Amino acid sequence: MAKIYNSVTELVGHTPLVEFKRLAKELGLKGRVIGKLEYFNPAGSHKDRIALEIIEQAEARGDISPDKTTLVEFTSGNTGIALASFAAAKGYPFRIGLQPGVSVERLKLLEAYNAEIIPVEPELLAPVYEKGIEAFGPIIERFIEETPNGYATLQLSNPDNVNAHYKHTGPEIWEDTEGEVGVFIGGVGTGGSTHGVSKYLKEQNGDIKTIVVQPDPESVANSAVEGATDGGFHGIHQVKDENGLTAMTPDNFNENVIDEYQYITYAETLKAIHLLAKYEGIFVGASAGASLAIAIKEARKAENEGKMIVPLLPDNGERYLSEDIQRVRHELEDSVEL
Ligand SMILES: Cc1ncc(COP(=O)(O)O)c(C=O)c1O
């Protein structure tokens, strides 16, 4: 029987779980580390799921249609790339403003998908450095004002971001592990993935533990990646410190479905990326490396003997080749143990 898809949008989701058996053997791990490879989505990351859900739910409500609407977003990358791809596939014009520190690859991908890059004046961007996501509101409002029939996808607060992971990513992990998943690990940008996945998993089995990986503040302050304001972790940031939730906590984050917060340094992140490439032939981005590093630490614990530990691996390392982490890592990574 012929198997021909009608659109790239039909290829979103159903990403594979892969058990890292050689890595476990080499490191002598007790737990089973099983990565959810989100770069198998057609535009290359877990953000494909939310871009599609946000667009298709807005279409179903009658809020947008390709003949009248221009989609608008302010983002640092993967959501923009996913929106740009699916906007093109569905016939929407798409305008995007870029957060500071976007990698060259991401910018070029946006251009390749025909997105219109909106120049953002330094005065408008300045508060982003100080206040983080709180400062996004006025920028998006400006974009909407200047875009006739503009529709902002608002990934930080749009519930369809969380719903995409609750409806698909969580169930996929549950079904593919036949309900055996014991620990889930993810980082927080908008909060959509950890919230949606963890909510679903905990509804199936309240004993499943969810750990949020947080970039070590020291690594962020003294970024090893030139020009990166996020320490090179790309897409994830700290949401909780000793005083509670930080100003970087988006509406879509939900602390009620989180059991633990653990810090990871950039050096540990690079080490995890390197080990995965070396023993499994899989090359992931930094946010994936951060979750994987926590997974490795968890898999060393006696209490996790035989348990399935699933880190969400959002994207591929090819998206950051210009950062030359293969060179940076020798300076940092060789000095750490995982
Ligand atoms: C590479 C990468 N990892 C992780 C995240 C965080 O995911 P979420 O927005 O679901 O919290 C993002 C989000 O921007 C990302 O681009």
Side-chain angles (χ1 to χ4, degrees), residues 46-47 76 78-79 106 155 161 165 187-194 234-236 287 314-315 320:
H46 71 316
K47 292 297 189 177
S76 70
N78 281 332
T79 301
R106 290 179 179 201
Q155 61 163 339
N161 172 353
H165 294 291
V188 175
T190 66
S193 51
T194 47
H234 296 303
I236 60 170
S287 68
D315 68 3
Y320 312 95

Side-chain angles (χ1 to χ4, degrees), residues 66-275:
D67 53 333
K68 64 168 204 265
T69 312
T70 296
L71 300 174
V72 176
E73 184 57 283
F74 177 65
T75 143
S76 70
N78 281 332
T79 301
I81 291 164
L83 284 167
S85 168
F86 305 149
K90 284 172 170 280
Y92 289 91
F94 175 50
R95 305 186 75 223
I96 178 168
L98 296 177
Q99 289 170 29
V102 172
S103 74
V104 166
E105 289 84 346
R106 290 179 179 201
L107 180 61
K108 287 188 186 298
L109 280 166
L110 287 166
E111 287 171 352
Y113 285 127
N114 244 4
E116 182 193 341
I117 315 286
I118 312 174
V120 190
E121 301 80 7
E123 314 82 82
L124 210 54
L125 271 184
V128 173
Y129 291 98
E130 278 166 49
K131 296 197 213 148
I133 55 178
E134 270 178 40
F136 288 15
I139 298 177
I140 294 172
E141 271 166 38
R142 222 275 321 267
F143 293 172
I144 289 291
E145 272 164 29
E146 67 183 27
T147 309
N149 296 316
Y151 181 87
T153 46
L154 300 176
Q155 61 163 339
L156 293 170
S157 56
N158 192 325
D160 289 325
N161 172 353
V162 178
N163 290 343
H165 294 291
Y166 179 78
K167 284 162 63 175
H168 304 290
T169 325
E172 287 171 25
I173 294 173
W174 178 255
E175 280 153 29
D176 289 352
T177 60
E178 298 183 314
E180 292 294 312
V181 51
V183 181
F184 171 69
I185 304 167
V188 175
T190 66
S193 51
T194 47
H195 179 172
V197 171
S198 183
K199 181 165 180 270
Y200 180 85
L201 293 179
K202 282 175 179 292
E203 283 172 6
Q204 312 314 305
N205 174 0
D207 291 338
I208 295 171
K209 180 170 161 183
T210 296
I211 303 174
V212 158
V213 56
Q214 306 212 96
D216 162 56
E218 189 69 15
S219 298
V220 175
N222 303 306
S223 177
V225 178
E226 215 178 302
T229 50
D230 60 2
F233 286 92
H234 296 303
I236 60 170
H237 53 255
Q238 184 178 14
V239 283
K240 195 157 193 176
D241 61 20
E242 58 287 359
N243 302 315
L245 293 177
T246 69
M248 290 297 280
T249 308
D251 291 346
N252 271 332
F253 178 68
N254 177 3
E255 64 170 334
N256 298 326
V257 296
I258 309 302
D259 299 288
E260 255 181 45
Y261 298 80
Q262 291 188 29
Y263 287 111
I264 210 77
T265 66
Y266 188 64
E268 290 170 319
T269 298
L270 291 190
K271 179 106 186 178
I273 292 173
H274 170 58
L275 291 171

